[in-house]
Amino acid sequence: MVLEVKRAQRGDREAFIRLFRRLEPELYGLAKSIVRRDEDCADAFQETTLKAYKSLSTLRQPKYFKTWVIRILINECNQLLRMRSRTVVMAELPEPAGAARFTGEYEENRKQDLREAVENLDETLRIVIHLFYYQDLPIKEVASVLEISEGAVRGRLHRARGILADKVKRMGREELAYEKA
C-alpha cells in the first residue's frame, strides 16, 4: 500500500483510485456505523475522497494513509451529523423491523444479532469497536485517529465488550425460552 500511496502523491490518479477502491468497503462500513443513513454515507465518502485527493501531498508518512483517511471520514461524518441536527425533517419513514435480517441459517442470525448489538452501542464505544475489530487498526492507531489516549481506547473496548457480552447472554436466554414454548 505504501508504494501505491507514493505513486498517488506523485500524481498517479489510477494509484489513488486503486487505494480508495481497496478501502471503500471498510470506509463505507465505518460511515454507516456513524451516520447510519446510506445517503449520508455516500456524501461522507465522496467528501472524504475529494479532501484526501486534494491534500494527499500533505501526508508525511505514507504508511499511515489508511489512518489519515479514516480520520478525514470521521470528521466528515461528524460534520454531517452536526448539519443534520440543525435540520428539521418533515417526515422520515422508519426502517421496517428486521429489514436487514438474514433469513436462513442460525449462524447468520447470530452474526446479525451481534452486528445489531454493536450498532446499538453508544457512539464512542461503537466507533472504537468498529475501528479495532472491523478496520483491524491497532490500539495505537485507534487512539491516533480518535485523538484520545491508548488507555481511553482500552477502557472503551473493555466497556463495549462487557455490554456486548451481556447482550449476547440475554439473546441466548431468550432463544432458550422461545424454544421451550
Side-chain angles (χ1 to χ4, degrees), residues 13-118:
R13 288 183 185 172
E14 292 301 316
F16 183 81
I17 292 169
R18 284 190 299 274
L19 283 167
F20 259 77
R21 287 226 169 102
R22 193 176 313 149
L23 292 176
E24 186 174 3
E26 296 174 46
L27 294 175
Y28 182 83
L30 177 59
K32 182 80 171 170
S33 78
I34 298 171
V35 296
R36 304 198 183 224
R37 296 193 309 205
D38 287 328
E39 57 272 12
D40 288 341
C41 291
D43 289 345
F45 185 77
Q46 184 176 12
E47 284 299 315
T48 299
T49 305
L50 184 62
K51 285 185 178 181
Y53 185 74
K54 284 182 176 180
S55 58
L56 188 59
S57 62
T58 65
L59 177 63
R60 285 181 241 129
Q61 295 186 7
K63 68 181 180 179
Y64 293 121
F65 176 77
K66 181 177 176 180
T67 306
W68 179 70
V69 170
I70 288 172
R71 181 76 240 158
I72 295 170
L73 179 69
I74 289 172
N75 287 338
E76 285 305 312
C77 289
N78 288 334
Q79 178 67 24
L80 280 169
L81 291 174
R82 282 191 295 275
M83 288 173 47
R84 187 192 304 166
S85 71
R86 289 185 240 141
T87 305
V88 177
V89 178
M90 295 302 286
E92 189 169 305
L93 299 174
E95 280 189 34
R101 293 190 63 87
F102 293 106
T103 57
E105 297 298 318
Y106 172 79
E107 229 10 75
E108 284 301 315
N109 286 335
R110 297 290 288 182
K111 287 179 186 175
Q112 183 63 25
D113 289 343
L114 184 57
R115 277 187 226 114
E116 287 176 12
V118 169

Side-chain angles (χ1 to χ4, degrees), residues 125 128-129 133 151-165:
L125 301 178
V128 168
I129 288 288
Y133 288 106
V153 171
R154 286 187 191 91
R156 290 178 187 182
L157 282 170
H158 179 76
R159 212 167 338 136
R161 288 180 193 129
I163 292 168
L164 292 172

